[in-house]
Amino acid sequence: MRKTTFLKLKVREGLFLARALLSTRHPVLAHIIPMRRCNLACAYCNEFDHVSQPVPLEVMRRRLDKLADLGTSIVTISGGEPMMHPEIYEIIAHIRRRHMIAGLISNGFYMTPERIKKLNQAGLQYLQISIDNVEPDEVSKKSLRLLDKRLQNLAALADFHVNINSVVGGGIRNPEDALVIARRAIELGFTSTIGIIHDGSGCLKPLNERERRVYDEVKRLNKAEYARLGWFQENLAAGRPNQWRCRAGARYLYICEDGLVHYCSQQRGVPGVPLEQYTKEDLRREYHTEKWCAPYCTVSCVHKVALLDNWRDPQRGWKEERSAVGADQRAAHAE
């Protein structure tokens, strides 16, 4: 990433952060799924299939327009494997046209020189690639050996920020692989993060002693990143709950391939409202609603967004919030 591009992006991020601190009435980050199909089948993943068709481009444009109208600052495209979508570059370009920051989460297998150049032209600003091991196995084919050439392509050509994420826990055979991956990422000029893998409901699988040693070492390599989320990650690594105010459904939105809004990829069905019907009232309700899954949640992007608002606006339980909403609506009707 060119230094001038990096500086412009950081200035824009600063403006979005200032806006988010001044107002709680808009989403900060939305994850959107243009297709659920994936070219891989990682054993721990519950976010893919092998049969789904890509969401038509015009439908994706309408969904992105709706997110822009709600005031969303950042849109991250995820999957499945979003690089399989035939119109992925136009989807990214439309995000930028609507003045939102454009990110992409990929398994990295499609990062050829030609495709990287097209991502540059489309205006991509952030890319995250997940790599699970050094050598492919029955759990995951997202291995450093298979992806290293793609990483070299990115180091040479990408005009966007690249982060490499690895995981510990949840069936990954050699946790020490995460340290090898982190060192290689830094060697190539990328940032590196490590995640504590979740179960099918998005909740915690505590680290064993071996995994914890690897986690601590990777954290030392990436002090800046983990300084922002230290208390979340430390508690999760030790198997302790976190006390925080999850703002999923308000400040963070997950929009599946069917166009429904969910709390996150691990809480599909809640609230389950079509994006085109989502309103400022939905944002307000979910902002104030306490989430049952929050104490042991490992979804780090939701943690990051919540840091903006953890210091303000205590939340209520699901029934309390809906009762309060009903009272507000009755009062407004009476007026």
Side-chain angles (χ1 to χ4, degrees):
M1 189 178 202
R2 291 196 303 264
K3 186 175 181 180
T4 54
T5 304
F6 176 80
L7 291 174
K8 288 178 182 178
L9 181 56
K10 289 303 175 183
V11 168
R12 194 171 183 195
E13 283 180 344
L15 293 173
F16 281 157
L17 285 173
R19 175 171 169 251
L21 289 169
L22 290 171
S23 172
T24 63
R25 298 179 181 179
H26 65 276
V28 176
L29 170 63
H31 273 175
I32 192 165
I33 312 302
M35 69 181 306
R36 192 169 174 82
R37 191 188 308 176
C38 187
N39 56 316
L40 302 179
C42 300
Y44 60 81
C45 183
N46 59 5
E47 301 178 42
F48 77 98
D49 64 28
H50 291 310
V51 297
S52 295
Q53 296 300 307
V55 178
L57 177 60
E58 286 308 311
V59 175
M60 287 300 301
R61 283 177 176 152
R62 289 198 298 271
R63 292 175 185 175
L64 294 171
D65 287 342
K66 175 65 176 184
L67 289 173
D69 292 343
L70 287 172
T72 306
S73 296
I74 306 165
V75 175
T76 297
I77 306 165
S78 187
E81 174 46 56
M83 289 296 292
M84 295 178 70
H85 196 292
E87 303 288 350
I88 186 62
Y89 310 108
E90 174 55 29
I91 292 171
I92 293 168
H94 196 73
I95 293 171
R96 295 299 309 278
R97 279 196 293 270
R98 293 306 312 261
H99 307 293
M100 298 179 287
I101 288 177
L104 178 72
I105 297 175
S106 171
N107 61 37
F109 279 86
Y110 291 92
M111 294 300 158
T112 63
E114 179 184 3
R115 288 173 180 262
I116 294 168
K117 291 175 183 177
K118 288 183 177 180
L119 291 173
N120 289 339
Q121 293 166 2
L124 185 68
Q125 292 162 294
Y126 284 102
L127 171 69
Q128 177 164 295
I129 294 177
S130 297
I131 304 179
D132 298 332
N133 45 35
V134 173
E135 295 290 336
D137 59 25
E138 68 279 3
V139 173
S140 174
K141 300 297 186 289
K142 294 188 294 184
S143 67
L144 184 59
R145 179 170 65 81
L146 296 180
L147 286 167
D148 195 70
K149 179 58 180 175
R150 276 79 166 182
L151 300 185
Q152 294 176 50
N153 292 338
L154 287 163
L157 298 170
D159 193 23
F160 43 84
H161 180 88
V162 179
N163 181 72
I164 306 301
N165 187 70
S166 57
V167 296
V168 288
I172 300 300
R173 181 181 299 166
N174 299 308
E176 291 80 10
D177 284 1
L179 187 55
V180 176
I181 294 163
R183 287 172 174 159
R184 179 58 172 156
I186 293 169
E187 179 183 11
L188 289 168
F190 307 143
T191 57
S192 174
T193 53
I194 184 169
I196 301 169
I197 200 166
H198 52 68
D199 63 17
S201 66
C203 291
L204 177 65
K205 287 184 178 293
L207 301 185
N208 60 38
E209 185 177 347
R210 182 182 171 196
E211 293 164 341
R212 180 58 193 257
R213 285 197 301 269
V214 171
Y215 167 79
D216 287 340
E217 183 61 28
V218 174
K219 189 173 74 169
R220 281 191 287 272
L221 292 173
N222 299 275
K223 292 179 181 178
E225 174 68 22
Y226 290 99
R228 288 179 287 170
L229 288 172
W231 58 283
F232 274 112
Q233 297 283 12
E234 286 299 316
N235 283 335
L236 293 175
R240 296 188 299 262
N242 280 304
Q243 300 301 318
W244 61 296
R245 295 166 183 167
C246 175
R247 307 294 182 174
R251 303 290 256 172
Y252 171 86
L253 305 179
Y254 179 91
I255 299 95
C256 71
E257 65 277 14
D258 296 321
L260 303 178
V261 177
H262 311 273
Y263 284 164
C264 66
S265 64
Q266 304 306 307
Q267 295 297 334
R268 286 173 173 257
V270 185
V273 177
L275 177 61
E276 68 266 21
Q277 298 174 17
Y278 219 66
T279 66
K280 294 287 186 178
E281 180 54 39
D282 292 305
L283 295 174
R284 193 197 73 81
R285 181 191 67 243
E286 298 302 342
Y287 178 87
H288 289 289
T289 298
E290 185 178 8
K291 313 304 189 298
W292 71 270
C293 48
Y296 291 100
C297 170
T298 66
V299 185
S300 62
C301 53
V302 187
H303 296 167
K304 290 179 181 180
V305 171
L307 292 176
L308 294 164
D309 303 302
N310 273 336
W311 55 278
R312 60 185 170 189
D313 300 330
Q315 293 178 309
R316 297 175 284 215
W318 186 87
K319 291 183 179 179
E320 292 177 287
E321 176 58 24
R322 277 146 184 78
S323 177
V325 169
D328 290 346
Q329 291 174 340
R330 288 192 295 272
H333 181 72
E335 292 175 1

